[in-house]
Amino acid sequence: MALPTSGRRRAPAARPAVVLLGTALLGAAALAGCADPGASAAGNPSEGAQATAARNGVVYNTSPDQQRIRADKDPALAAEVPELIGKDGKLTVATTAGSIPLSFHATDDKTPIGSELDIAQLVADKLGLELDVQVTSWENWPLKTQSGDFEAVFSNVGVNKDRVKLFDFASYRAAYMGFEARKSATYDIKGADDISGLKISVGSGTNQEKILLAWNKELEAKGKAPATLQYYSSDADTILALSSGRTDLNIAPYPSTVYRENTRDDLKVVGKVNAGWPSETLVAATTLRGNGLAPVISEALNEVIKDGSYGRVLERWGLAEEELPESKTITAENYAPAQATAAPSQAGKAS
């Protein structure tokens, strides 16, 4: 996904934003601000039951006992793992544990679980390595991956033109942002015109913020009222503001908005946009540029795509519509962003 621009335009006086979350250092935010929510209101599953039956037919297991779908070791692939990475027998994976159902803490408030880690487990299995999960902040994964603390990042990271200068990628899921609103709302969010004059909560330094800032620029050029962006210090505060009417919309990773639509009675999805808008992007495992690990992860992903275990993981978490037919290794040498196509409208979609 494209990064927030360093020369971010300031809001005019007529459009004050309620800023409750401090902006991260620009360098870290620029690399980190993407598909992961930051303050995207993931919700806190530890406050609910250990198994939630949703309206979309998915039973979400939020307990520490995940009974993950596993894959068999491929000795040929295991032999391709770079020696410096495989010598300890572990695949050290970073995740932020900040967005249900992607990566979040189980009901014990300490065990990281979710679709991102299930996919990482499949990769580790194929490579004959033990999965070593390290929870980190969204702002810290770039530097810690560069320093070698993390060998791969599985945390809803999107590919963009700036990241490929520092990292290599192995794609494994489509990447979308969802707009969510109260159940009674009639919004149908397809583009800039549809957010004019609305109050929208968004994570600071994220790609979703970049999209909204670009759309506001379009609105101002047309002489229309821009949206007011509002920032909250916690997920709970973000959703409380939405459900109580203090904000009109929240923009967050699409899987999280779908989860809330199907597990709550008061919220629904009212729009969908490619997370790399105006280009298309993909979610990918992120590795240090040039260390040789990304191509091996892509091969492992293609094996689990072929044997069906990848598809079962996505179905388990209600993410089947973001399934990819194959994984591709994306580097600075072959990166070529495509123009984003319009996402289908979500207005009126059944819960």
Side-chain angles (χ1 to χ4, degrees):
M1 286 169 248
L3 296 175
T5 57
S6 57
R8 187 175 297 159
R9 179 182 49 75
R10 297 183 65 86
R15 182 174 50 96
V18 180
V19 180
L20 300 181
L21 177 65
T23 303
L25 292 175
L26 181 59
L31 281 173
C34 187
D36 196 279
S40 70
N44 184 3
S46 66
E47 294 177 353
Q50 295 197 357
T52 302
R55 286 185 291 274
N56 58 356
V58 177
V59 177
Y60 294 96
N61 174 13
T62 58
S63 75
D65 181 14
Q66 284 294 290
Q67 300 180 10
R68 285 185 175 133
I69 297 165
R70 304 297 294 268
D72 295 326
K73 176 182 176 180
D74 182 328
L77 269 185
E80 294 181 22
V81 175
E83 183 178 358
L84 287 176
I85 293 171
K87 65 180 182 179
D88 64 351
K90 297 179 181 180
L91 181 65
T92 303
V93 167
T95 196
T96 58
S99 182
I100 189 170
L102 300 173
S103 171
F104 61 103
H105 282 112
T107 51
D108 63 356
D109 285 327
K110 62 182 181 180
T111 304
I113 62 174
S115 63
E116 301 294 272
L117 300 181
D118 282 9
I119 293 174
Q121 182 69 71
L122 293 178
V123 169
D125 287 346
K126 277 294 175 187
L127 302 183
L129 299 172
E130 177 188 349
L131 180 62
D132 177 19
V133 177
Q134 300 290 322
V135 175
T136 189
S137 69
W138 183 242
E139 293 78 14
N140 283 340
W141 71 256
L143 289 177
K144 288 193 173 184
T145 303
Q146 288 180 277
S147 69
D149 290 347
F150 305 140
E151 294 164 344
V153 182
F154 283 77
S155 199
N156 207 40
V157 178
V159 184
N160 65 46
K161 64 182 178 63
D162 293 280
R163 285 205 183 102
V164 295
K165 298 173 184 176
L166 299 173
F167 306 105
D168 294 335
F169 298 89
S171 60
Y172 61 85
R173 190 163 48 76
Y176 292 98
M177 293 296 174
F179 288 91
E180 58 188 334
R182 294 182 302 284
K183 205 76 168 183
S184 59
T186 58
Y187 306 122
D188 183 8
I189 309 300
K190 297 178 181 177
D193 289 345
D194 303 314
I195 68 167
S196 178
L198 300 181
K199 298 185 295 291
I200 308 175
S201 55
V202 62
S204 177
T206 60
N207 190 66
Q208 45 266 48
E209 182 189 44
K210 182 200 83 78
I211 293 170
L212 295 183
L213 290 173
W215 285 8
N216 270 351
K217 188 174 181 179
E218 285 186 26
L219 289 169
E220 290 174 335
K222 296 176 181 178
K224 294 185 176 182
T228 298
L229 309 190
Q230 299 191 178
Y231 303 83
Y232 293 91
S233 58
S234 72
D235 296 345
D237 288 345
T238 303
I239 289 301
L240 179 60
L242 180 64
S243 62
S244 66
R246 285 185 283 122
T247 56
D248 302 305
L249 296 170
N250 179 50
I251 181 172
Y254 184 64
S256 296
T257 63
V258 170
Y259 171 83
R260 283 189 287 273
E261 178 181 54
N262 284 285
T263 56
R264 296 176 62 115
D265 294 325
D266 57 342
L267 301 178
K268 66 179 180 180
V269 178
V270 295
K272 181 179 180 182
V273 62
N274 193 283
W277 186 94
S279 299
E280 289 188 345
T281 192
L282 297 171
V283 171
T286 307
T287 66
L288 185 63
R289 174 167 163 74
N291 72 358
L293 181 58
V296 184
I297 292 178
S298 286
E299 290 185 62
L301 286 165
N302 282 323
E303 287 198 8
V304 297
I305 288 171
K306 185 176 180 180
D307 69 24
S309 54
Y310 160 84
R312 292 197 298 276
V313 164
L314 294 188
E315 288 178 3
R316 180 188 184 207
W317 294 104
L319 304 179
E321 66 181 291
E322 296 197 348
E323 184 173 346
L324 296 183
E326 66 174 327
S327 173
K328 295 181 179 180
T329 302
I330 304 171
T331 67
E333 289 71 26
N334 68 4
Y335 176 70
Q339 188 69 22
T341 55
S345 170
Q346 299 299 303
K349 183 170 71 65
S351 298

